[in-house]
Amino acid sequence: MFFIFAALINVMKEVRVRFAPSPTGPLHIGGVRTALYNYLFARKNGGKFLLRIEDTDQNRYVPGAEDYIIESLKWCGINFDEGVSIGGPHEPYRQSERKHLYFEYAEKLINEGKAYYAFDTPEELEEMRERLTQKGVATPQYDYLSRYEMKNSLVLSPEDVKSRLERGDPYVIRVMIPADREIKVDDLIRGEVVVHTSKLDDKVLFKSDGMPTYHLANIVDDHLMEITHVIRGEEWLPSAPLHVLLYEYFEWDAPQFAHLPLLLKPDGNGKLSKRDGDRLGFPVFPLQWSDPKSKEISSGYRESGYLPDAFINMLAMLGWNPGTEKEVFSMQELIDAFSIDRVQKHGSKFDPEKAKWYNHQYFSVLSDNEVAHLLEKQLIGKGVNADFGKLLEISRLIKERVTLIPDLWEQSYFFFKQPLTYDEKLKNKIWRPETPEVLRHICSFIEEQTSLQSDTFESSLKEYIHQSGFNMGQVMNTLRLALVGSAFGPGIAGIISVLGKEETILRINRLKNS
RNA sequence: GGUCCGUUCGUCUAACGGUUAGGACGCCAGGUUUUCAUCCUGGUAAUAGGGGUUCGAUUCCCCUACGGACUACCA
């Protein structure tokens, strides 16, 4: 009976998840994936997704990083319901602005004997580690063994502690980890993870600069913001037992945990880093980032010409799969299909080729109209004006030949510019003494046409070449040389149809006279 | 070093004890496109190793190996 009731409450409770990056630089695609899985989970369960900025480390703050994160999520179509920049019922969503509320929680723990003041200097901490290492201690750390040899409120007299605090001596607040207990972390992806407290250390909860550490801030905020599921990277798994213990210390219900596997570098081992992108030539960030200090520029998926939906689809499939053979998913389809228990346990090597494949897939299903708009934007960047109707025709001809947005220009520039040079290899291969004569005939044939509609025109052109006894390959390739300048591009009839009579004949004559 | 997590084709993965171990990317070959790309067809290729449990293990357990994360007054 109790269990049924408890389960019911659980079902009725609104799902609330958060993405909580720290603004220390651009968001890496692993971070985007974490945000995506949180988003999908929230939407799938009819819950809320919030964005919280964890900026408790003032030293690592990078200007522009927060805006970058917000813009990235926006580009990806990962919309949040509450958070920085849009507000919500639990404002503020930036931890630096919540600074005032953390101390009382740390103090409460001290009053209950679950935490303590520590006055050790960095040098003293270093000495302690040194000393323990000398003694052959396997894990030299501030813990249930070493804390009684340090300068903290557990060993100092109450008077001493009081006067140090009144004097304004720098101090931190450390959690007191029990000596001999097992902490169980129930993870949605990994099952039960058990850690003995003797392996944990008395982590700092509150820093001497008056800011909480991640460990304190994330527990307090997740509780206050009523977070039900903490979905985060695997790098947090080792500190999850501490977090579970803190929930227990505060007598709060702990959220469900799910620790996501990492994104690994395409070659070799280890987690994907910015360096891998530079080295292997693919973006590691959603948007281009220019470092405010070093001025160094890192490429982004958006600027490289990826479509956001394709990028998201690719990322979603790295470490999760629906259990079917379907691979192309819209965001809504991802939401419908998503479930946390189909998330992989192990890390995934990132595959830049697959990213391109996804983008190509998305291009081929885009409407002519959508492609034409993308092409139009490219042309504006090149200073080329063109009639939209013409762009539609061109889009239809080239969209299946395009992988990235810049390919639109690569595949279509010859529609807007006469070829200035001719591919020598192709020219040598097809040019014959009679070629100019043949071209003259082709020109007059084109001249006579009443319509250049590509479907009908193509067959009549071929018919004409065939009946005239010309070599089909030679004529077609020569036309290609005249119109495009080299051996690539869509079918000749389609090109002529877009170019029109006048321009086609102009280009043919230009080749003839070259 | 310690703690924790992990391990199916080169890569992403399916197979919740019984399959000729399936799909996708890549690669290779053929076809279509009288160009190039696309596209189509086919091919290549995997259960890390060793022990158990079981009539039967990719699947459950143990050990080994290998890989990864963490090990700050960073998140």
Side-chain angles (χ1 to χ4, degrees):
Chain A
M1 183 63 201
F2 170 77
F3 287 112
I4 295 169
F5 190 59
L8 208 60
I9 286 179
N10 215 28
V11 167
M12 293 189 310
K13 200 166 159 190
E14 181 189 52
V15 164
R16 292 174 58 84
V17 297
R18 83 306 197 271
F19 178 55
S22 60
T24 53
L27 190 59
H28 157 291
I29 54 177
V32 177
R33 194 193 58 169
T34 301
L36 175 64
Y37 284 7
N38 271 283
Y39 172 79
L40 294 177
F41 184 78
R43 288 287 174 275
K44 169 80 181 194
N45 295 290
K48 295 280 192 291
F49 172 57
L50 33 165
L51 175 68
R52 184 173 72 220
I53 297 294
E54 309 227 325
D55 55 349
T56 52
D57 185 354
Q58 297 140 322
N59 301 321
R60 294 209 307 158
Y61 179 79
V62 174
E66 185 183 307
D67 289 341
Y68 178 97
I69 290 164
I70 293 168
E71 201 187 340
S72 295
L73 295 179
K74 193 175 169 194
W75 181 69
C76 291
I78 302 173
N79 306 315
F80 48 94
D81 306 296
E82 294 173 28
V84 150
S85 85
I86 63 167
H90 297 280
E91 289 180 292
Y93 290 90
R94 203 177 280 119
Q95 287 182 330
S96 58
E97 294 171 10
R98 302 169 66 80
K99 184 176 177 179
H100 58 281
L101 33 105
Y102 302 107
F103 180 77
E104 63 170 293
Y105 291 99
E107 196 180 37
K108 181 170 184 280
L109 256 27
I110 291 178
N111 294 337
E112 295 171 359
K114 296 164 180 167
Y116 56 89
Y117 293 105
F119 302 94
D120 315 272
T121 64
E123 294 72 31
E124 287 166 335
L125 292 172
E126 188 46 44
E127 275 169 35
M128 175 266 285
R129 292 191 187 101
E130 190 69 21
R131 193 175 67 240
L132 294 178
T133 307
Q134 292 297 326
K135 275 169 66 179
V137 175
T139 47
Q141 57 185 11
Y142 211 120
D143 60 11
Y144 73 109
L145 288 174
S146 61
R147 63 179 165 236
Y148 298 103
E149 295 163 8
M150 303 301 288
K151 230 175 266 170
N152 55 52
S153 58
L154 301 173
V155 283
L156 267 24
S157 70
E159 297 73 35
D160 192 357
V161 171
K162 194 168 173 243
S163 68
R164 280 169 185 266
L165 291 175
E166 278 168 0
R167 221 182 324 162
D169 280 9
Y171 69 88
V172 300
I173 298 174
R174 285 181 182 272
V175 62
M176 188 145 76
I177 301 282
D180 182 22
R181 271 195 50 194
E182 292 211 315
I183 308 279
K184 291 184 175 128
V185 181
D186 189 21
D187 189 283
L188 258 16
I189 295 171
R190 288 150 213 285
E192 193 175 75
V193 177
V194 183
V195 179
H196 194 93
T197 51
S198 63
K199 304 299 179 189
L200 268 30
D201 65 335
D202 291 357
K203 280 268 183 304
V204 171
L205 297 180
F206 198 86
K207 301 185 275 183
S208 59
D209 65 0
M211 278 286 197
T213 61
Y214 171 85
H215 302 296
L216 210 219
N218 104 84
I219 266 79
V220 169
D221 285 346
D222 283 346
H223 175 255
L224 261 23
M225 295 179 181
E226 302 175 83
I227 298 302
T228 56
H229 301 258
V230 170
I231 304 170
R232 77 235 289 196
E234 190 185 357
E235 68 270 25
W236 294 109
L237 192 53
S239 55
L242 166 66
H243 302 157
V244 168
L245 182 69
L246 284 172
Y247 280 105
E248 186 190 305
Y249 276 2
F250 285 119
E251 297 177 348
W252 294 336
D253 287 335
Q256 289 277 332
F257 288 100
H259 289 92
L260 266 24
L262 266 22
L263 249 39
L264 275 19
K265 54 186 69 194
D267 58 340
N269 300 305
K271 66 174 170 180
L272 184 64
S273 74
K274 177 181 149 347
R275 290 211 165 283
D276 300 313
D278 298 340
R279 188 168 53 84
L280 270 17
F282 64 89
V284 172
F285 303 106
L287 273 36
Q288 190 178 83
W289 167 258
S290 131
D291 189 274
K293 259 198 194 130
S294 68
K295 301 294 173 207
E296 193 187 349
I297 294 190
S298 303
S299 66
Y301 279 84
R302 182 178 66 183
E303 289 74 12
S304 299
Y306 286 82
L307 303 167
D309 290 354
F311 172 67
I312 284 299
N313 195 156
M314 175 275 296
L315 225 42
M317 303 304 284
L318 263 185
W320 170 84
N321 78 82
T324 65
E325 289 183 356
K326 185 175 162 70
E327 299 208 76
V328 177
F329 288 82
S330 67
M331 187 68 101
Q332 188 56 50
E333 288 172 325
L334 285 174
I335 290 167
D336 294 338
F338 191 75
S339 92
I340 202 92
D341 46 58
R342 292 203 69 94
V343 172
Q344 222 65 244
K345 287 186 172 73
H346 59 266
S348 305
K349 288 189 184 179
F350 181 74
D351 182 0
E353 289 303 319
K354 195 94 177 204
K356 286 186 189 160
W357 178 81
Y358 265 110
N359 218 55
H360 182 259
Q361 290 296 308
Y362 274 74
F363 254 111
S364 49
V365 299
L366 242 37
S367 69
D368 294 346
N369 193 52
E370 290 168 306
V371 177
H373 277 108
L374 290 170
L375 175 59
E376 190 174 37
K377 256 188 231 158
Q378 287 273 294
L379 295 180
I380 290 168
K382 304 279 180 191
V384 174
N385 286 313
D387 171 66
F388 195 75
K390 192 172 162 186
L391 296 187
L392 279 172
E393 286 180 61
I394 294 171
S395 297
R396 192 167 43 79
L397 290 178
I398 66 170
K399 73 179 180 189
E400 301 215 332
R401 318 171 70 84
V402 169
T403 297
L404 300 174
I405 291 173
D407 297 343
L408 288 168
W409 171 253
E410 301 301 322
Q411 290 295 332
S412 70
Y413 68 88
F414 50 85
F415 286 114
F416 311 102
K417 289 179 169 177
Q418 285 188 8
L420 296 174
T421 57
Y422 298 108
D423 182 332
E424 283 300 317
K425 252 177 85 180
L426 179 63
K427 191 172 180 183
N428 291 337
K429 193 175 144 196
I430 52 151
W431 199 263
R432 297 285 182 279
E434 67 275 19
T435 300
E437 182 62 13
V438 173
L439 286 176
R440 204 175 55 77
H441 282 93
I442 297 289
C443 279
S444 32
F445 169 76
I446 292 171
E447 199 76 66
E448 287 163 14
Q449 297 306 300
T450 50
S451 162
L452 292 184
Q453 277 300 310
S454 62
D455 42 348
T456 52
F457 172 63
E458 177 164 16
S459 46
S460 48
L461 175 65
K462 283 181 180 172
E463 177 74 13
Y464 172 75
I465 294 168
H466 184 69
Q467 295 207 334
S468 308
F470 300 148
N471 179 308
M472 183 74 77
Q474 223 144 59
V475 174
M476 287 301 205
N477 280 314
T478 309
L479 286 172
R480 182 170 295 283
L481 187 66
L483 304 178
V484 178
S486 60
F488 80 98
I492 286 298
I495 296 176
I496 292 175
S497 153
V498 171
L499 246 27
K501 263 186 207 178
E502 200 182 327
E503 179 68 15
T504 301
I505 289 165
L506 196 79
R507 290 190 186 190
I508 293 173
N509 286 330
R510 197 173 171 278
L511 173 67
K512 222 163 44 170
N513 302 332
S514 70

